[in-house]
């Protein structure tokens, strides 16, 4: 039943036994795409690889942690799982719950998740609750629900989520032959930066890699509690996936950045949108706005001289662009042209004789 997902592939590093019934949708093994054009556009001098996590089964990195969390929920005999979400965790939980035959309850901030993510929760049959509040309010409610012993929380406060997500760091090392020098990624609830740092450390300790990358985490300016050093009560950003004011893995994220001599910093919505368009135009890689925060972080770090020459840099782009088609159409800064059905009209429209 496990197929070829991340648990099967990395089971020696994960808390499963021979008897564990693995719930998988063949997640993981996502492309690590070398991106020459983007580096050239910036001015050159380093090697960049994009880890395209939008190609997971529900189109985000959350599937790596969800296969683990749902597998353990089934092993523990619960009937229902619950999560708060800005959209991707709920999409993933809904899909894996369907696969496992569990009830799924998702609490999302009213009106603040993208269209694609809402479609996923609903089509998989999750009990979908819109909370009049933000993600942090929804997570508080989930923590209360989780005190019941018939419901398992599958947010990243569930340690199995972090365990599953660390497999992305293993894949990067396996593909590059060693850890990169720097790893960029967006930060919301801060589970993923925690997971990568765990994975890189475990792989090095196991002798599978020899070094550790600097962890470079990026929040959106209007939702940057870690950068500002205090909880943000009304977080705002165009990148709704990381519209989070009180991250659950705050301390772990700070530890990852400090231990790795990296940083957690922020980028503006304009920088995020420029990076969103730039990645799509230069590399053909379409991501959702939150995922572009890591790309914007590279642009910013490079401009400051923060990427040493000859470095190998990996950036995780966490979710697929089709999650949020509305933003893409707006941010394309282009529109289609309507013509009469004859060849001259088409040639005129594309500017050819
Ligand atoms: C595309 O789905 O928090 O720092 O509830 O969807 O590990 O939280 C999503 C987060 C980055 C941030 N990119 O990762 C949720 C949720 C995308 C995301 C993040 C999210 P974390």
């Amino acid at each position: 039943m496990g197929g070829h997902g991340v648990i099967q592939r990395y089971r020696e590093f994960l808390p499963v036994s021979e008897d564990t019934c693995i719930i998988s949708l063949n997640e993981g093994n996502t492309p690590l795409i070398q991106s020459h054009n983007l580096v050239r556009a910036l001015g050159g001098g380093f090697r960049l690889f994009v880890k395209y996590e939008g190609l997971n089964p529900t189109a985000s990195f959350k599937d790596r942690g969800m296969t683990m969390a749902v597998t353990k929920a089934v092993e523990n005999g619960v009937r229902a799982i619950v999560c708060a979400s800005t959209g991707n965790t709920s999409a993933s939980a809904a899909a894996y719950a369907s696969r496992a035959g569990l009830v799924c309850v998702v609490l999302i901030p009213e009106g603040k998740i993208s269209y694609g993510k809402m479609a996923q929760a609903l089509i998989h049959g999750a009990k979908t609750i819109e909370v009049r509040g933000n993600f942090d309010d929804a997570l508080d409610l989930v923590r209360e629900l989780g005190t019941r012993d018939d419901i398992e929380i599958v947010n990243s406060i569930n340690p199995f989520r972090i365990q599953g997500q660390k497999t992305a760091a293993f894949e990067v090392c396996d593909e590059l032959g060693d850890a990169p020098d720097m790893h960029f990624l967006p930060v919301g609830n801060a589970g993923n930066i925690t997971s990568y740092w765990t994975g890189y450390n475990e792989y090095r300790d196991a002798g599978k890699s020899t070094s550790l990358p600097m962890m470079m985490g990026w929040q959106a300016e209007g939702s940057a509690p870690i950068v500002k050093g205090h909880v943000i009560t009304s977080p705002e950003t165009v990148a709704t996936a990381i519209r989070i004011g009180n991250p659950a893995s705050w301390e772990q994220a700070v530890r990852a950045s400090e231990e790795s001599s990296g940083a957690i910093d922020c980028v503006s919505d304009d920088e995020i949108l420029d990076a969103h368009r730039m990645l799509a135009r230069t590399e053909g890689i379409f991501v959702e706005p939150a995922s572009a925060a890591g790309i914007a972080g590279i642009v910013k770090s490079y401009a400051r001289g923060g990427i040493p020459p000859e470095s190998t840099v990996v950036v995780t782009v966490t979710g697929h662009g089709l999650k949020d088609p509305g933003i893409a159409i707006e941010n394309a800064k282009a529109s289609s042209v309507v013509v009469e059905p004859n060849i001259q009209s088409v040639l005129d429209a594309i500017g050819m004789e």
Side-chain angles (χ1 to χ4, degrees):
M1 188 171 184
H4 300 282
V6 297
I7 298 180
Q8 203 79 302
R9 184 166 177 199
Y10 292 111
R11 62 186 309 145
E12 65 197 283
F13 291 92
L14 294 168
V16 289
S17 73
E18 286 300 308
D19 301 330
T20 305
C21 169
I22 296 171
I23 309 296
S24 170
L25 285 164
N26 295 16
E27 60 294 317
N29 198 19
T30 53
L32 186 68
I33 303 170
Q34 185 159 14
S35 299
H36 300 284
N37 299 338
L38 187 56
V39 171
R40 204 175 303 122
L42 291 177
F46 65 103
R47 292 202 308 158
L48 177 64
F49 296 87
V50 176
K51 183 70 170 157
Y52 197 7
E53 288 286 276
L55 295 193
N56 275 296
T58 75
S60 88
F61 73 101
K62 302 286 183 181
D63 295 339
R64 295 177 182 277
M66 205 55 70
T67 181
M68 200 59 240
V70 171
T71 291
K72 295 309 269 190
V74 168
E75 196 168 71
N76 296 338
V78 301
R79 277 191 51 250
I81 60 172
V82 63
C83 66
S85 183
T86 57
N88 277 325
T89 300
S90 48
S92 186
Y96 283 78
S98 291
R99 185 110 171 126
L102 296 176
V103 171
C104 181
V105 181
V106 305
L107 276 69
I108 54 180
E110 184 189 18
K112 292 291 183 181
I113 83 166
S114 74
Y115 206 63
K117 297 171 190 176
M118 180 62 107
Q120 290 178 287
L122 295 174
I123 199 71
H124 292 303
K127 293 184 194 297
T128 304
I129 320 277
E130 291 195 63
V131 177
R132 293 201 183 95
N134 57 37
F135 168 83
D136 306 286
D137 300 318
L139 185 58
D140 287 344
L141 292 168
V142 162
R143 286 183 200 271
E144 277 186 50
L145 280 172
T147 59
R148 300 172 54 107
D149 48 16
D150 51 351
I151 303 187
E152 195 83 65
I153 299 176
V154 296
N155 280 104
S156 55
I157 53 177
N158 177 330
F160 297 122
R161 280 276 313 280
I162 305 291
Q163 289 297 310
Q165 282 175 211
K166 74 186 180 186
T167 59
F170 299 165
E171 288 180 12
V172 168
C173 294
D174 284 345
E175 188 136 351
L176 294 178
D178 206 341
D181 299 311
M182 302 179 93
H183 191 117
F184 285 71
L185 77 174
V187 171
N189 216 21
N192 211 27
I193 189 169
T194 302
S195 304
Y196 271 96
W197 186 235
T198 302
Y200 280 125
N201 275 278
E202 286 186 9
Y203 235 39
R204 196 225 16 204
D205 294 347
K208 299 252 187 191
S209 56
T210 67
S211 61
L212 296 170
M214 296 166 71
M215 296 303 302
M216 307 293 291
W218 296 86
Q219 301 199 291
E221 206 167 79
S223 306
I226 302 178
V227 181
K228 308 248 152 109
H230 58 82
V231 170
I232 307 291
T233 46
S234 301
E236 276 311 336
T237 171
V238 67
T240 53
I242 53 172
R243 186 174 169 273
I244 294 174
N246 188 14
S249 300
W250 189 320
E251 287 86 28
Q252 295 91 316
V254 169
R255 210 176 311 134
S257 90
E258 287 178 358
E259 289 177 4
S260 73
S261 309
I264 295 179
D265 202 341
C266 60
V267 282
S268 69
D269 279 5
D270 281 346
E271 290 170 318
I272 288 172
L273 290 172
D274 285 347
H276 179 245
R277 203 172 45 247
M278 183 181 189
L279 186 65
R281 295 273 162 94
T282 61
E283 296 292 354
I285 299 173
F286 185 23
V287 302
E288 62 172 290
S291 306
I295 302 290
I298 290 176
V299 174
K300 193 164 194 168
S301 298
Y302 185 86
R304 286 175 180 159
I307 300 182
E310 311 303 322
S311 331
T312 297
V313 175
V314 170
V315 57
T316 301
V317 292
T318 45
H320 201 283
L322 290 172
K323 293 268 188 178
D324 201 343
I327 282 287
I329 286 178
E330 228 175 274
N331 192 38
K333 299 192 189 300
S335 53
S336 54
V337 179
V338 179
V339 299
E340 293 306 318
N342 62 67
I343 197 65
Q344 198 52 51
S345 302
V346 173
L347 288 172
D348 288 349
I350 59 183
M352 289 182 139
E353 298 278 313

